[in-house]
Amino acid sequence: MADTLFMNFQRFYSLNFLAKLLLSAIFVNAIPSKITDFGSQAQYITSRGFPEPLSNLLLIAAIALLISGSILLIFSEKTKLACSLLLIFLIPTTIIFHLVPLQVMAIARNLSLIGGLLIAIDKTNLHYFKQDDKKNSKEIEYSDLNEDN
């Protein structure tokens, strides 16, 4: 039990955790203003050509994606899901709000974030493959022992 608790603390305070915390910081920072200034945020979406009821729905979806993606990224092992949720928010946001008029710095920032999220997804895939390899090698070792008996 103590070993498991130590491993959880070790994982919690790892470089991977720090990276996920830092990657999520910009998304976490965006949440409060979307909630506290909902009306003007929805109006801004409407100004981009969306009907008002749809603007409200899109803003609610954006808030849900930001909250769920950030929480999952920081506090869970569901990195692929977390990054996917944040990408679902980030890619359309970049296209709709930063391409016209061209906002080079905002586009560069968002492309960097997209790259970071894609790297996190890719590293998660590698982590799963390594776990599968370890599991398969243990199964082979176990079966080899059984054949000798």
Side-chain angles (χ1 to χ4, degrees):
M1 169 102 172
D3 289 338
T4 305
L5 184 60
F6 175 72
M7 291 303 289
N8 287 340
F9 281 125
Q10 188 177 12
R11 186 182 72 214
F12 186 76
Y13 291 108
S14 69
L15 190 58
N16 185 49
F17 172 76
L18 179 62
K20 293 187 331 179
L21 184 65
L22 294 173
L23 182 57
S24 67
I26 196 160
F27 299 108
V28 171
N29 187 52
I31 296 168
S33 65
K34 290 187 180 352
I35 295 171
T36 59
D37 202 14
F38 190 91
S40 64
Q41 294 283 327
Q43 190 60 36
Y44 181 66
I45 295 171
T46 302
S47 76
R48 301 301 291 179
F50 293 94
E52 189 172 336
L54 182 58
S55 296
N56 291 332
L57 184 61
L58 288 172
L59 183 54
I60 290 168
I63 293 167
L65 288 168
L66 286 168
I67 291 172
S68 58
S70 297
I71 288 172
L72 287 172
L73 184 58
I74 297 169
F75 298 110
S76 81
E77 295 296 319
K78 298 181 185 291
T79 304
K80 278 176 79 170
L81 175 60
C83 292
S84 298
L85 292 172
L86 294 171
L87 285 168
I88 290 169
F89 163 78
L90 189 58
I91 292 170
T93 299
T94 303
I95 294 167
I96 294 167
F97 298 105
H98 301 302
L99 281 181
V100 177
L102 185 63
Q103 299 172 356
V104 176
M105 290 304 294
I107 292 171
R109 178 195 63 225
N110 288 5
L111 289 176
S112 297
L113 288 167
I114 290 168
L117 292 168
L118 291 173
I119 288 171
I121 289 172
D122 186 52
K123 292 297 181 187
T124 302
N125 286 336
L126 292 175
H127 177 69
Y128 286 133
F129 287 133
K130 286 180 184 177
Q131 282 183 341
D132 287 344
D133 288 345
K134 287 179 185 176
K135 185 188 294 183
N136 289 338
S137 67
K138 286 181 184 176
E139 288 174 3
I140 291 169
E141 292 170 8
Y142 180 74
S143 65
D144 288 342
L145 290 174
N146 283 336
E147 289 176 4
D148 291 339
N149 290 332

